Every structure is written in C-alpha cells, then in structure tokens.
Amino acid sequence: MKSTIFTFLLLILSAFYAGAQILNGEGQVHGSIEIDAQYYKPDSLIGAPPVPEKILMNTYDQLDYTNGKISAGIRYEAYDNALEGYSPLYDGSGFPYKYIDYKSDGMEVTVGNFYEQFGSGMILRAYWSPSLGIDNSFNGVRVKYSPAKGVYLKGLIGNQRYYWTEGAGLVRGFDAELNLNEMDSAWNNMKTKIIVGGSFVSNYQVADNPTYNFPENVGASAGRLSIINGGFSFYTEDAYIINDPNAINGDIFKPGDGALVRAGYSQKGFSFMLGGERVDNMSFKSDRTATANDLAINYLPEMPRDETYQLAAFYPYATQPNGEQGFDAEIKYKLPRGSFLGGKYGTDLDAEYSAIRSLDTIALNDKTTTDQGYTTKILNMGQTNYFQEGTFEIQHKFSSDFRLIAQYDYEYYDKSIIQNELAPNIISNVGVLDGYYAISSAHTLHMELQGLQTMQDQGNWVFALAEYNFGSDWFLGALDEYNYGDPDPSLRLHYFTITGGYMKNALHITVGYGKQRAGILCIGGVCREIPASDGLTLSITNSF
Amino acid sequence: MIIDFWATWCKPCCAELDAINDEYADWQKETGVKVIAVSVDDPRTMSKVPSFVREKGWDYDIYLDPNQDFQHAMEVINVPCTFILDGNGKIVYIHNSYMEGDEKGLHAALLKAAGKK
C-alpha cells in the first residue's frame, strides 16, 4: 500500500508536461476534434418529431499551443443546426473559447475564457459538458498565486458564457486554500493531512425592476475542511448566499445555505463511506432571470450515484436547488483472492443506499417586496420523500478472459418533483447482468441483459445488448430496448439500434442506425432531456 | 510513464486499472514504468476517490482533476484514455476505451517505448 493521493496538485503534473516541452526547445501544438451528426426520420409512435433540416450536427474543435511558460488556445464550435435536445440558442458557429495563459514562479495568469472551481463548487464552478449542453465559462481574467509553500490563492473576474452571448452579471471570486502539511516542515511527515479553504464570490447585476428592490450585488461565501489520516477521511463544505431573489426561487429574499459532509474509512479490500447534504435556496446564477441550467455560477454536488446501466439510469435524480436534504452510505468489500467465493481474482461486492427528502419548512405569509418565502427547521427532515435508491453490485472475474457483473437496483422516484410534471410516484426494480468475454486477444464479446419492473409510468422494460470487438480496432453492436409492459398495448414498442465503429489510437468513429427513446441524461445531478429520435447517427472524435 | 484518465463511475476504467495492477509489479521490474492515474471525478464523487483507491489496493500515484483542466489540456474527450510517455516526455501511445485484453497491447507498446523490443 503505497499509493499516494495528490489533491489539487495537477499543476505539478502540467508543469512536468510543459517542462518536457521546454526541453524540446520548441512550442507544441495539440488539439481535438469532435463531430456528432444525425439524420432524423419522423416517427409519431415513439414521439420523434419531424426535423425540417433532416440533418443536424454539433462540432467542438480545440487547438492548444504551448511554449515554455506561455500557452494559448482556441475552440471552434458549430451547431448546424443544434442536435435535437440542445437549445436552439446554440444554432450557429464561432469561437466561444479563447485564452492566453502565462505561468511563472508560482503565479499563473489567464486572460480570455477559462473554467474554474472553488472547493467542491458549491459557490463557484464553471465547467464544460458538451453532452449536457453546458458551458458556463468565464470571459475575463484569472490569477492564481502561491506566495508560499502550501498556500494557494485564486482570484477571478468575468462574465459567463450564455450560448453565443454573455450573461448580464459580472462575477468576482476569490479563493484561498492552505495545505498545512506542505506549509510547515514539521507537519510534512505527519500522518494526518489537513487542508482548509475558504472562498467569496460576488455577482453584480443592474437592478431596474419597478416593483422589487433587487440587490445589485449578491455575495456568497463558503468554507471547507479536509482531514485524511491513514484510512480515515473527512470532508466538509458549508456555503452561504446573501439574499438573491431570482427566477428559480420565486424572487424571495431569504438567504441561501448549503452543507456537505463526507466521512469514510478504507483499507485494502474494504471501504465504508457516509455522506450527508443540505441544500436550502442555493440557486446562484449570474442573471436573476435565468432558468434551467443557464448561467449557473455554482454547482450543487449530488448525493445518489450516477447509474451507468441504461435501465438503472431510467429514472435519474436531479438536484433540487430550492431545497433538499439527504444522505448516502456505501460499503465495498472484496472477497479475497484464493478464498472459496473469491476465486483466483477475488470478488467485488458493493452496496449503496441513498435517500433524499424535502426540507421541513413553514411558509410565511409575508407578501411584501422583500418576501422571505418560508423558514426552515434545520434539524428536521421534510415530509416529502423525493428519491430513494438501494443498489447492490457483485463483480467477479472468472478468468483473465471472462468477467461478469450483476446488479440489483431498487428505486423510489418522485416524478412530479424531479421532472416538474404531474405524475404518480414511481417505484422500480432493476436487474442487470453484464459480461465480458475475450475469445482471443483480438476478439472480445460484451453482452448486457437488463430488466426494469414498475407498476407506474410506462411499465416494464427489458434491454439487451451485444457488442463484438474484432481486429482490436473494429466493433459491431446491436441493442434493443423493449417496453413490453406499457399499460397501452399499442405503445409496447421496440427501440432497436445497430452500431459499428472503428477505434485507432485516439481516433473514434461510430455509426449507429435505429431508434432512441425519450429520456433524461443526468451527469452529477445536472440533467438534459433527450428527445425520442429515429435515424442515422455519426460520431467522430480524435485528438493529437 | 503511463498516464491513465479514469473515474470511479467508469466501469471499463476500473477494469483496466485492475488489470494493470495485476501486472504492475512485473512491468515495473521490466521497464521501470510508473503509472499515474488521473481521476476526472467531478466534485460529487471526488471525495470518494481516496477510499476507492485504498479499497482497490492500487499502487498508482493518483491525481484529482475535478474540473477536467488537465483532461482538456491533454485533449482527452472520453475516459478511459491511456497515454505512454517515453523517457523524453514524448507521447508515444494513446488508447481510448478498454476491452478485456487491451492491457496486452499496452504492455507491448510499453516494452517498445522502453526499447526492450
């Protein structure tokens, strides 16, 4: 056991990488290309609307240049027009991301567009997720400075990207992080590793509403603490937003607050993690009128796991910024190698349970221009059950050629809260069997069988997938998702898709033909609706 | 040096790192290779990474890249993505995705990079 964890120290690695290039005595160019295109056929039965353009395409193409202490980059994006499920506000093309970066002697200055995250992001996180259609990057200036060992300071100012324009609010942020073990040589060899951090973010937006006296400057602060001692780990972050009436919270003037705690113990072959969170009126955007995922300044880490299997991810949870509290517990255990049940390679067991409920609130009848909306009883759990999930997973490697994963998933899902539409609560049971078999070094087979059982919504589903990799570069696959239990027999439909592709080094080409059911894609509690579609898809990615 | 981009939620990534870990001691003896595993777990799951790695018993150097800065700098679009850097820091091998047995190809490329083959 000598694995080492370096937190937030990627700078060192990037410096090594840049350093390697200085040795070459010349600048280096890197880049990546991503093209996603689809030919659409209307299908009224599955709810795929006619697409007038017939063919749509998104592309993201990045070029970066590094020479010693300087780096610069540019990204071209085109949505000709935006794929179904992406906002039509993306239609068009341009260079939304351009930056110049200078790094020297513990100081780094970035001008132009940049991404950033303070702590776990509860008051500031700008990130790029093309699959979610999110890019809330800043356009402005950022300075990172390390005045002494273990002291990391960051300051930034800028406007956020809003499709092809910028948000109205001007965001200013400051973050300080102290790594106590790095700061003091006496602490250096201590077994206990402690990191503390704090940040402050302020958003300025002109207030010219005749009725409400909106605050022009909205401030938010957060503090965090991380302690690791051998197998024990503890992390907490607490955040507070001063009154921020906005479209998400219904223009109430109540301050927002949030808390996150995670504690765990681990050793080789065993780990236990416990997490708790509370979110109360924590939507923080750089435009008080913005909705959905637009112009978010902060990010609210989600408790439940991101399910990766198709049917286990059928009813994914989305974080409720106006208020929720929940917890999560996970135990992992590896039956040792050579034991009766462990076999030659051991068997991995994983059990996880999470539950999210409403806050316990009392509505206030204070219909004034500085409406507080409600008060919260902090230590009480709310009455409404938003989401519960229990997952059990077992993974066993039978031989170096054959591996099998089995998963069972129980879920309770309040569709009217999570998807904001009037619907009964959904209880579902999902079973998954996932196998990999290497026939020979150049031929691999991957098969999945999944079933979802529920009495509500669209009823039962079954999913089957077979993928065959050959010649180490090529693959062919087929999958079918069948809604055999739909209450309406005429809607018991198959969603059949075939895919094929070629992978070589960083190049990936995938072609698919078939139907895609309507659903929701969620990554880390942030979600995007995926509309039903039928047709031909082409995806190309490469980097150099 | 091998740089491997992974995440706790990415099953093929973990299968790959498990498979490399089974061979790691031998590879180190042969080539002196060092594996750096860069977790692109977002803020939601990054606090799980230390426990996750200890439970797995991986002997790698683990780096966290919660906002994907390094991932973007290395032009990585999807995980798992594996790089081999030779002694001069030059990228000599890139592989995206993992299927059973891909570690054999990685091993062959590693031997080549180390001038053993």
Side-chain angles (χ1 to χ4, degrees):
Chain A
M1 253 337 287
K2 60 167 184 60
S3 79
T4 339
I5 310 279
F6 299 93
T7 314
F8 307 118
L9 287 185
L10 270 168
L11 267 179
I12 294 171
L13 197 59
S14 352
F16 168 85
Y17 185 58
Q21 291 157 5
I22 293 169
L23 293 179
N24 289 344
E26 57 190 32
Q28 282 207 3
V29 175
H30 293 282
S32 66
I33 286 169
E34 178 172 356
I35 297 168
D36 299 304
Q38 184 163 359
Y39 166 75
Y40 293 89
K41 286 199 309 189
D43 186 331
S44 55
L45 213 49
I46 63 166
V51 174
E53 300 94 331
K54 301 231 187 280
I55 294 173
L56 300 173
M57 182 215 62
N58 292 2
T59 182
Y60 319 91
D61 312 290
Q62 172 107 16
L63 200 65
D64 293 291
Y65 175 76
T66 310
N67 195 338
K69 295 170 177 175
I70 298 272
S71 57
I74 192 162
R75 182 169 72 235
Y76 174 74
E77 288 180 17
Y79 303 80
D80 294 332
N81 282 329
L83 290 171
E84 287 284 281
Y86 286 81
S87 169
L89 291 172
Y90 271 124
D91 287 354
S93 61
F95 296 90
Y97 181 74
K98 312 172 270 285
Y99 72 92
I100 299 172
D101 185 272
Y102 176 76
K103 237 181 253 163
S104 173
D105 304 324
M107 159 105 60
E108 180 183 354
V109 180
T110 313
V111 298
N113 306 98
F114 56 87
Y115 299 98
E116 184 52 79
Q117 174 181 323
F118 293 168
S120 59
M122 286 173 83
I123 62 166
L124 186 134
R125 185 187 185 210
Y127 67 113
W128 182 45
S129 174
S131 50
L132 289 175
I134 289 179
D135 182 1
N136 62 341
S137 58
F138 289 105
N139 184 7
V141 177
R142 175 185 59 191
V143 178
K144 291 185 189 176
Y145 183 52
S146 176
K149 258 191 173 171
V151 181
Y152 303 95
L153 308 176
K154 292 177 197 172
L156 65 86
I157 184 163
N159 290 81
Q160 285 185 288
R161 177 175 180 195
Y162 179 73
Y163 303 98
W164 293 106
T165 62
E166 278 173 13
L170 182 62
V171 180
R172 287 76 42 99
F174 175 76
D175 183 77
E177 185 165 286
L178 305 178
N179 186 323
L180 302 188
N181 302 82
E182 290 177 16
M183 283 169 74
D184 190 304
S185 53
W187 280 63
N188 232 314
N189 297 317
M190 259 180 55
K191 213 182 150 199
T192 308
K193 310 283 176 202
I194 301 177
I195 300 171
V196 292
S199 40
F200 182 77
V201 175
S202 159
N203 177 47
Y204 170 79
Q205 185 183 4
V206 176
D208 49 8
N209 188 296
T211 323
Y212 291 98
N213 184 19
F214 284 136
E216 294 205 311
N217 284 292
V218 172
S221 56
R224 59 186 186 268
L225 170 68
S226 159
I227 302 171
I228 293 180
N229 184 334
F232 291 96
S233 65
F234 175 81
Y235 181 85
T236 185
E237 182 160 349
D238 291 84
Y240 181 81
I241 303 173
I242 305 164
N243 58 353
D244 179 25
N246 60 57
I248 300 285
N249 69 13
D251 288 328
I252 59 170
F253 282 67
K254 183 185 187 297
D257 68 87
L260 173 75
V261 182
R262 275 187 201 278
Y265 173 75
S266 62
Q267 62 182 51
K268 187 165 182 173
F270 172 78
S271 72
F272 176 68
M273 293 287 290
L274 201 59
E277 54 118 26
R278 217 182 89 81
V279 166
D280 187 353
N281 188 22
M282 280 293 287
S283 175
F284 187 34
K285 293 173 180 288
S286 63
D287 184 336
R288 64 177 77 84
T289 62
T291 56
N293 294 332
D294 294 339
L295 290 171
I297 300 173
N298 68 343
Y299 170 83
L300 300 168
E302 175 211 37
M303 273 289 129
R305 58 197 262 154
D306 269 337
E307 293 293 352
T308 44
Y309 291 111
Q310 183 86 352
L311 291 184
F314 202 102
Y315 297 113
Y317 188 65
T319 307
Q320 300 300 308
N322 283 342
E324 64 170 40
Q325 53 195 336
F327 81 96
D328 175 75
E330 183 175 19
I331 295 179
K332 288 161 76 81
Y333 180 68
K334 185 171 184 130
L335 295 167
R337 288 161 183 250
S339 64
F340 175 64
L341 288 169
K344 189 182 170 195
Y345 293 94
T347 299
D348 294 297
L349 306 177
D350 181 1
E352 185 164 1
Y353 179 78
S354 44
I356 312 283
R357 297 182 78 92
S358 62
L359 298 174
D360 191 6
T361 58
I362 301 166
L364 293 175
N365 198 8
D366 62 339
K367 292 293 167 211
T368 63
T369 52
T370 56
D371 187 358
Q372 294 289 307
Y374 61 92
T375 57
T376 312
K377 287 195 240 166
I378 286 184
L379 292 171
N380 289 14
M381 288 296 262
Q383 293 303 306
T384 315
N385 195 354
Y386 286 175
F387 182 83
Q388 270 179 56
E389 185 176 36
T391 308
F392 182 73
E393 190 185 296
I394 177 164
Q395 182 171 169
H396 185 72
K397 197 165 162 180
F398 290 87
S399 69
S400 64
D401 301 328
F402 181 46
R403 184 163 58 92
L404 205 59
I405 303 169
Q407 183 182 309
Y408 167 74
D409 191 59
Y410 162 85
E411 205 178 291
Y412 174 91
Y413 185 87
D414 187 328
K415 191 173 177 180
S416 40
I417 292 286
I418 300 164
Q419 292 189 27
N420 203 11
E421 59 180 71
L422 207 58
N425 299 328
I426 297 163
I427 293 171
S428 67
N429 292 282
V430 177
V432 176
L433 211 55
D434 178 11
Y436 296 85
Y437 179 61
I439 303 160
S440 69
S441 65
H443 299 263
T444 321
L445 202 58
H446 170 206
M447 294 183 85
E448 282 180 24
L449 196 62
Q450 308 178 21
L452 180 149
Q453 179 272 325
T454 178
M455 308 287 277
Q456 295 87 28
D457 206 37
Q458 292 169 273
N460 299 347
W461 289 77
V462 64
F463 172 94
L465 171 144
E467 235 173 46
Y468 175 53
N469 285 55
F470 57 99
S472 70
D473 299 332
W474 296 88
F475 76 93
L476 266 179
L479 67 88
D480 188 27
E481 210 169 357
Y482 177 34
N483 188 192
Y484 71 96
D486 198 286
D488 179 351
S490 70
L491 290 175
R492 290 177 185 164
L493 304 173
H494 284 275
Y495 295 76
F496 185 74
T497 305
I498 49 168
T499 54
Y502 177 72
M503 299 179 275
K504 182 88 183 171
N505 302 326
L507 173 68
H508 256 227
I509 300 173
T510 312
V511 180
Y513 183 76
K515 294 176 186 180
Q516 154 90 45
R517 73 166 157 85
I520 301 171
L521 170 74
C522 291
I523 302 173
V526 181
C527 306
R528 176 171 79 85
E529 277 191 51
I530 309 277
S533 69
D534 183 7
L536 185 72
T537 59
L538 169 70
S539 166
I540 301 171
T541 61
N542 199 0
S543 63
F544 50 90
Chain B
M1 180 163 77
I2 293 173
I3 299 181
D4 200 325
F5 286 85
W6 69 288
T8 55
W9 44 261
C10 164
K11 290 204 159 61
C13 303
C14 298
E16 177 175 38
L17 287 170
D18 275 340
I20 296 174
N21 206 44
D22 289 344
E23 316 276 334
Y24 193 28
D26 292 342
W27 292 11
Q28 278 184 311
K29 251 182 245 158
E30 280 172 357
T31 61
V33 68
K34 184 174 175 173
V35 174
I36 290 179
V38 181
S39 147
V40 299
D41 277 277
D42 67 11
R44 190 184 65 88
T45 46
M46 72 177 182
S47 56
K48 286 185 176 181
V49 172
S51 309
F52 192 92
V53 172
R54 273 181 83 93
E55 194 272 331
K56 284 283 191 189
W58 291 341
D59 289 334
Y60 312 133
D61 285 354
I62 308 287
Y63 287 80
L64 298 179
D65 187 18
N67 216 30
Q68 287 86 49
D69 296 330
F70 188 58
Q71 182 187 348
H72 291 155
M74 294 285 282
E75 316 292 351
V76 172
I77 296 166
N78 296 309
V79 288
C81 191
T82 313
F83 293 86
I84 296 178
L85 271 63
D86 69 11
N88 301 318
K90 191 168 173 283
I91 295 167
V92 292
Y93 173 88
I94 304 175
H95 188 76
N96 206 326
S97 82
Y98 174 77
M99 287 301 286
E100 247 52 26
D102 278 357
E103 68 275 8
K104 289 166 192 149
L106 182 69
H107 185 218
L110 185 66
L111 290 174
K112 201 175 151 198
K116 297 276 166 86
K117 208 175 180 181

